[in-house]
């Protein structure tokens, strides 16, 4: 059983990363934790309303959620769970605490794709990776996109209008 | 009753009852205060009167008498009564004042002081205790001042109440009229909209209030009404046009053949054309018939539990039969592991018809370039995705592709009647499904069809 952390920017590439990860580690059971980093607000009013502010959940679209469910159904015997958590803060201590709290065994990071900023206060995780005290695996997500016989993740993501 | 009148009455009733309650409260406390004050005065008088009349020290008696004479003005109809208390009986022998009950004297004996009131005449009795003999002293007087005071207070309150009720009624009318003004304007505007001018819309305030939402909802409904009206109108004209084209061809061909004697080959040629056109006519009418049938509810057909992947294989087979040159691929990589998540309930024949329409279109408009079908499922829907690399659909025409007889502007030489997609959509809708088309001209099409997962 492995707890795998995958940083996400809510795009189709994150879904490809999940698929690539599962394909690589499907020998055992996996708990997949999608993580998106958000910086802490720096004004006192925003801090006071911090726990009340649910804007971050608007980042998760219905399509993204459905695509995650599709992947989970596709690898039902391997994937025990796919959860999504936000990490608040951008320091290495926050990152280490986050990894510790979620019992992360492995971080999977896309090797040939740069994560985008999903919103204005998204945090760039790549700079924090070197402070992690667990294994980091960089997987390639740029697969054979041109294969006409395959339905790509990008085609799936349009699903459920 | 109109809502405006209701609001007015409700507003008036609520404010009037609050005012009435407040007035009663004020009157009650004012009168209680006035009474208490008067009883205090009577008490002082009773004690002084007792000391002046029954006192044993001569000097004190004189002093009290002087105080009474000089300083205490007589109250209106002030009277004093003295009763000696019989020591043995513990009560006065003959205590009686007309209009005062006997219990009053008993209370004086027990509580040493008692009050009684008959209308405006106030009685106050005290027990004057002296060594040797006790007396009951009763002073009575009319409370002229508080009578006047309370009377005028009552009048002021009554008049004030009536006047404010009137004011509230007027304010209530204005208030309710102001509140219902937007509703009235909407009613007025909607009355103007009939089938002839469905393009009219309600003015949108842009606010997020209830009225803004109402007009937004109305406009939305009008949009849909207008579209369905238009497609209804188009349907009839398109249908007659589609039906008359082959008919004209048949009639023309027949007339041409009959116009003079021809050789056998020419007749065969003409008959072949006639047969072709008649075939086309039959195709249109059967499609129209099934379109009309699927427009009704599908309760009479046989429904069964079926698997989405089996459905896709059956569709692929039927497409292979009709169009042997196709390149249809079934991508099974997204299939869920659990079989349960592939099952849906529906009529197999109808669903095959719907899906093969979609897939055949994909083959036709891409000149048999590869078409990929994928099946995936979320927790409650099974998705079937059909992707082609054909000519696509211009983005501004996407809203109309499900209208009967609508054909995109870029179809060019591809033959068709514009009945297939509406038929497919009707069938999918009967199965509580959903069909979404994403496309751009020249870039092919992705069609997503979702059906509900069958829960056993």
């Amino acid at each position: 059983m492995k707890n795998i952390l995958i940083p996400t920017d809510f795009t189709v590439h994150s879904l490809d990363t999940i698929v690539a990860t599962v394909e690589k580690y499907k020998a055992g059971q996996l708990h997949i934790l999608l993580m998106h980093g958000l910086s802490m607000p720096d004004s006192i009013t925003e801090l006071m309303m911090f726990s009340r502010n649910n804007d971050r959940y608007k980042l998760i679209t219905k399509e993204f959620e459905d695509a995650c469910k599709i992947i989970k159904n596709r690898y039902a015997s391997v994937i025990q769970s796919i959860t999504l958590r936000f990490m608040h803060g951008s320091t290495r201590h926050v990152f280490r605490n986050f990894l510790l709290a979620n019992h992360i065994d492995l971080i999977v990071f896309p090797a040939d794709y740069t994560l985008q900023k999903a919103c204005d206060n998204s945090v760039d995780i790549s700079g924090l990776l070197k402070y992690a005290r667990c294994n980091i695996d960089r997987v390639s997500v740029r697969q054979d996109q041109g294969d006409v016989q395959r339905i790509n993740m990008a085609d799936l993501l349009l699903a459920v209008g | 009753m109109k809502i405006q009148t209701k609001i007015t009455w409700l507003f008036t009733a609520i404010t009037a009852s609050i005012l009435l309650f407040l007035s009663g409260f004020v009157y009650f406390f004012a009168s209680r205060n006035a009474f208490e004050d008067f009883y205090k005065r009577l008490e002082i008088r009773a004690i002084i009167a007792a000391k002046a009349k029954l006192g044993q020290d001569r000097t004190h008696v004189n002093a009290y008498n002087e105080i009474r004479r000089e300083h205490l003005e007589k109250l209106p109809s002030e009277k004093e009564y003295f009763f000696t208390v019989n020591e043995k009986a513990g009560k006065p022998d003959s205590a009686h004042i007309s209009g005062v009950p006997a219990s009053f004297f008993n209370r004086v004996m027990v509580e040493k002081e008692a009050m009684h009131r008959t209308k405006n005449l106030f009685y106050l009795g005290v027990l004057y205790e002296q060594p040797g003999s006790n007396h009951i002293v009763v002073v009575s007087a009319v409370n002229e001042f508080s009578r006047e005071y309370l009377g005028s207070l009552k009048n002021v309150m009554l008049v004030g109440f009536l006047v404010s009720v009137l004011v509230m009624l007027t304010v209530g009318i204005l208030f309710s009229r102001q509140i219902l003004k937007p509703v009235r304007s909407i009613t007025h505007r909607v009355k103007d909209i009939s089938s002839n001018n469905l393009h009219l819309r309600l003015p949108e305030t842009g606010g997020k209030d209830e009225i803004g939402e109402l007009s937004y909802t109305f406009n939305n409904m009008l949009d849909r009404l207008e579209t369905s009206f238009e497609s209804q109108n188009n349907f009839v004209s398109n249908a007659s046009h589609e039906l008359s084209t082959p008919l004209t061809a048949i009639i023309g061909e027949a007339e041409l053949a009959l116009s003079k004697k021809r050789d056998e080959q020419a007749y065969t040629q003409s008959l072949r054309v006639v047969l072709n056109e008649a075939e086309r006519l039959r195709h249109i009418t059967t499609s129209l018939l099934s379109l009309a049938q699927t427009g009704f509810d599908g309760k009479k057909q046989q429904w069964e539990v079926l698997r989405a992947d089996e459905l896709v294989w059956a569709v692929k087979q039927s497409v292979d039969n009709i169009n042997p040159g196709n390149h249809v691929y079934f991508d099974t990589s997204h299939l869920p592991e659990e079989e349960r998540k592939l099952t849906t309930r529906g009529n197999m024949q109808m669903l095959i018809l719907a899906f093969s329409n979609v897939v055949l279109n994909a083959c036709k408009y891409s000149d048999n370039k590869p078409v990929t079908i994928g099946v995936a499922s979320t927790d409650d829907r099974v998705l079937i995705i059909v992707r082609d690399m054909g000519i696509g659909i211009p983005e501004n025409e996407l809203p109309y592709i499900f209208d009967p007889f609508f054909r995109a502007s870029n179809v060019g030489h591809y033959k068709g009647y514009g009945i297939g997609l509406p038929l497919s959509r009707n069938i999918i809708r009967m199965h509580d499904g959903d069909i979404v088309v994403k496309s751009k001209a020249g870039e092919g099409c992705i069609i997503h069809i979702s059906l509900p997962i069958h829960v056993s």
Side-chain angles (χ1 to χ4, degrees), chain A residues 66 69-70 73-78 147-153 155-156 158-161, chain B residues 329 331 333-337 341 372 374 376-379 383 385 387 389 436 438 446 448:
Chain A
D66 281 332
K69 282 181 193 161
I70 287 173
N73 284 332
R74 181 172 154 189
Y75 298 104
S77 57
V78 178
D147 189 351
V148 291
Q149 301 187 17
R150 313 286 279 178
I151 291 282
N152 300 323
M153 272 298 155
D155 303 333
L156 272 183
L158 298 175
V160 202
Chain B
Y329 301 103
D331 177 9
S333 63
H334 294 286
L335 285 179
E337 285 184 357
K341 296 210 162 150
T372 321
S377 53
T378 67
D379 288 346
L383 306 171
I385 298 132
R387 190 191 59 198
M389 311 167 93
V436 185
K438 309 257 160 145
I446 299 175
H448 286 272

Side-chain angles (χ1 to χ4, degrees), chain A residues 9 17 24 27 49 56 60 67 71 80-82 89-91 102-104 111 116 133 135 148 153-154:
Chain A
D9 56 357
T17 318
K24 194 164 174 183
M49 297 304 290
R56 56 184 179 279
I60 313 165
I71 296 176
Q80 291 294 301
S81 66
I82 298 184
S90 51
T91 61
N102 292 296
H103 311 288
I104 298 300
Q116 304 295 308
R133 286 173 179 151
N135 295 329
V148 291
M153 272 298 155

Side-chain angles (χ1 to χ4, degrees), chain A residues 45-100:
Chain A
T45 40
E46 270 178 61
L47 264 177
M48 277 163 70
M49 297 304 290
F50 185 59
S51 56
R52 295 236 161 234
N53 188 347
N54 289 328
D55 278 354
R56 56 184 179 279
Y57 295 113
K58 288 181 191 152
L59 291 172
I60 313 165
T61 57
K62 176 97 174 63
E63 286 85 357
F64 188 81
E65 218 173 303
D66 281 332
C68 286
K69 282 181 193 161
I70 287 173
I71 296 176
K72 186 170 181 296
N73 284 332
R74 181 172 154 189
Y75 298 104
S77 57
V78 178
I79 303 178
Q80 291 294 301
S81 66
I82 298 184
T83 32
L84 197 146
R85 277 215 179 118
F86 290 95
M87 181 183 83
H88 298 282
S90 51
T91 61
R92 58 181 128 160
H93 302 292
V94 169
F95 186 56
R96 273 183 193 156
N97 272 337
F98 186 86
L99 297 181
L100 195 67

Side-chain angles (χ1 to χ4, degrees), chain B residues 17-36:
Chain B
S17 50
I18 291 173
L19 205 67
L20 203 61
F21 176 74
L22 194 72
S23 313
F25 200 68
V26 168
Y27 185 78
F28 173 73
F29 278 98
S31 64
R32 213 177 76 166
N33 242 358
F35 288 179
E36 268 176 15

